[in-house]
């Protein structure tokens, strides 16, 4: 059976490069009726935190990258934890085997100088005081090369003389990454290891351990990295890179998965539902070159997804986002008047690309206290005709009985026909009068949605502002 895994370390928030790796593993496993596994590699006790572990799990769930097995927690799967496996002595027996076979050894250090080995032995050092520390190191094979096949890069060859013996068990007793990952992948029967090409050198070391233990290798594939505009690996200097950031900025998980799939995988479509692409996923279509993370394209894709969704789905996504980002006051307003909110969101989503932009763009509809932007105040609040137009507008809207879009359009066009000022200025003035802004959804739609009570109140409030 095909068994793939994603194995992040909880030493920081989940990076979009890691998510893309997880996505390719997930797609490959799903396509082949296999299993996708999440394993948290938390043996770096100094840098790993429970907070980051929880953040990784939350981000994976938000991305929709569900895993197929793990410890049962209330009917759901938790990820596997390396630290739990360490507690059960999973790695210890294999350490002993390598030492017994003289393929690994104990290395003694002065605690004050942990880089300089003062003695080595195949037997444990006994009765040491705190001024000494001990690690276990793996012996580099005496063969000339370490070779393995990569599904994307072909035959790989590394000269063993370029490697030094490396630590497989730290002085605190925890296994290092290059040792634990081999044991885990073997015992969990991982058939395919897909990861970033920055792991190539690590893979050579891991292959040495596999062969020292007499185990068959999984299939390896090392994916080119996601790059910034300067063609260097994507990092914080290029912009935000964590899934948490994109959640907070109001991106849809489906849009982010769509975008990440396109970073290195050829698809006939630009816009798609990732679940519908499982059947088409083919590792032979993965690019052998690094790909640039284009923030503008991601936003464009997100906007396309927002406009593709049924309006009720957009409302649900928006409410979920408000909850995730702890905007409780606005969330309660949306839920309190769902029919009104639905109309607002429907008219606003045509001009925005993210849920955060929707939050800002729709705020005049939910905030009863109009905040007038400086541009609007500078352009219109000192005009000599503004009070006359306001009074006429209040009069006509008070008389208006048709608050459909068409009904509001008629009143506004009639106001422009009074020629108190130009048609353009009439429209702009009336737009800002009820929203405080010069850029809003359609003017006629805005008045229709706000309705008679809000419109009249806001016209009166502006009149007080001017006076």
């Amino acid at each position: 059976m095909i068994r793939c895994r994603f194995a992040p370390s909880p030493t920081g928030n989940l990076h979009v490069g890691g998510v893309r790796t997880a996505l390719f593993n997930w797609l490959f496993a799903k396509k082949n009726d296999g299993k996708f596994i999440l394993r948290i590699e938390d043996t770096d006790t100094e840098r790993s935190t429970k907070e980051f572990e929880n953040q990784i799990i939350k981000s994976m769930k938000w991305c929709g990258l569900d895993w197929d097995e793990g410890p049962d927690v209330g009917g759901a799967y938790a990820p596997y934890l390396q630290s739990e496996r360490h507690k059960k002595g999973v790695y210890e027996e294999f350490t002993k085997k390598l030492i017994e076979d003289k393929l690994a050894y104990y290395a003694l250090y002065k605690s004050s100088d942990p880089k300089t080995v003062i003695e080595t032995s195949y037997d444990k050092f006994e009765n040491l005081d705190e001024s000494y520390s001990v690690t276990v190191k793996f012996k580099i094979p005496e063969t000339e090369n370490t070779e393995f096949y990569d599904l994307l890069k072909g035959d790989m060859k590394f000269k063993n003389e370029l490697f030094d013996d490396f630590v497989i068990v730290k002085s605190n007793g925890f296994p290092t990454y290059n040792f634990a990952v081999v044991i885990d992948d073997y015992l969990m029967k991982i058939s395919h290891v897909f990861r970033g090409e920055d792991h190539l050198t690590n893979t050579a070391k891991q292959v040495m351990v596999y062969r020292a233990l007499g185990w068959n290798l999984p299939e390896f594939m090392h994916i080119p990295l996601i790059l910034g505009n300067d063609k260097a690996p994507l990092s914080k200097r290029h912009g935000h890179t964590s899934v948490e950031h994109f959640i907070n900025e109001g991106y849809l998980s489906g849009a982010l998965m769509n975008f990440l799939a396109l970073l290195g995988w050829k698809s006939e479509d630009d816009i798609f539902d990732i679940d519908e692409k499982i059947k088409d996923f083919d590792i032979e279509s993965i690019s052998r070159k690094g790909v640039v993370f284009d923030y503008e394209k991601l936003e464009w894709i997100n906007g396309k997804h927002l406009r593709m969704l049924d309006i009720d789905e957009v409302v649900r996504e928006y409410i979920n986002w408000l909850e995730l980002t702890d905007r409780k006051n606005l969330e309660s307003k949306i839920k309190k008047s769902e029919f009104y909110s639905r109309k607002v969101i429907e008219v606003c989503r045509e001009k925005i690309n993210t849920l955060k932009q929707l939050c800002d763009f729709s705020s005049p509809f939910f905030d009863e206290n109009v905040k007038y932007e400086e541009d609007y105040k500078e352009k219109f609040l000192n005009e000599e005709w503004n009070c006359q137009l306001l009074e006429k507008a209040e009069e006509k809207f008070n008389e208006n009985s048709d608050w459909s879009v068409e009904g509001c359009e008629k009143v506004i066009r009639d106001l422009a026909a009074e020629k108190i000022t130009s048609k353009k200025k009439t429209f702009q003035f009336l737009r800002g009068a009820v929203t405080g802004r010069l850029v809003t959804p359609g003017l006629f739609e805005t008045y229709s949605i706000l309705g008679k009570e809000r419109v009249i109140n806001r016209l009166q409030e502006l009149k007080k502002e001017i006076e």
Side-chain angles (χ1 to χ4, degrees), residues 397 403 408 412 430 434 443-451 455:
F397 279 114
W403 284 87
C408 291
I412 291 170
L430 291 174
V434 295
L443 174 59
F444 313 131
E445 290 85 353
T446 295
Y447 271 71
S448 174
I449 291 169
L450 286 171
V455 166

Side-chain angles (χ1 to χ4, degrees), residues 295-356:
Y295 289 89
E296 289 183 3
K297 184 172 182 180
L298 170 58
E299 185 178 315
W300 175 79
I301 287 175
N302 201 73
K304 288 286 187 182
H305 275 260
L306 271 173
R307 284 178 276 283
M308 276 171 36
L309 290 176
D310 178 84
I311 187 60
D312 290 327
E313 292 180 274
V314 179
V315 173
R316 281 195 296 272
E317 289 279 1
Y318 188 44
I319 290 173
N320 289 340
W321 179 76
L322 292 172
E323 185 178 348
L324 277 172
T325 54
D326 202 27
R327 290 170 164 86
K328 290 184 170 57
N329 185 44
L330 183 53
E331 182 189 349
S332 66
K333 287 182 181 180
I334 301 286
K335 289 179 176 178
K336 186 176 180 180
S337 181
E338 288 193 14
F339 179 72
Y340 174 75
S341 301
R342 188 179 185 278
K343 290 196 294 182
V344 171
I345 292 169
E346 187 164 22
V347 75
C348 287
R349 72 163 169 172
E350 298 305 317
K351 292 190 176 183
I352 53 90
N353 287 323
T354 69
L355 295 173
K356 187 175 182 180

Side-chain angles (χ1 to χ4, degrees), residues 84 88 135 141 169 231 294 300 352 376 396 399 429 460:
E84 291 298 319
K88 296 173 182 176
T135 65
V169 179
K231 304 301 171 67
D294 186 337
W300 175 79
I352 53 90
Y376 178 72
K396 284 190 174 294
E399 295 170 353
F429 179 75
Q460 291 173 344

Side-chain angles (χ1 to χ4, degrees), residues 1-5 24-38 66-69 77 188-192 194 278:
M1 174 186 276
I2 299 293
R3 289 174 62 83
C4 299
R5 50 68 164 181
F24 285 178
N25 277 280
W26 183 87
L27 285 166
F28 185 72
K30 297 291 182 187
K31 164 121 184 235
N32 293 283
D33 296 320
K35 299 285 187 182
F36 173 69
I37 295 158
L38 177 62
D66 51 308
W67 50 100
D68 299 310
E69 64 177 57
Y77 291 125
M188 297 169 77
K189 297 181 170 59
I190 299 301
S191 62
H192 291 73
F194 297 166
I278 292 172

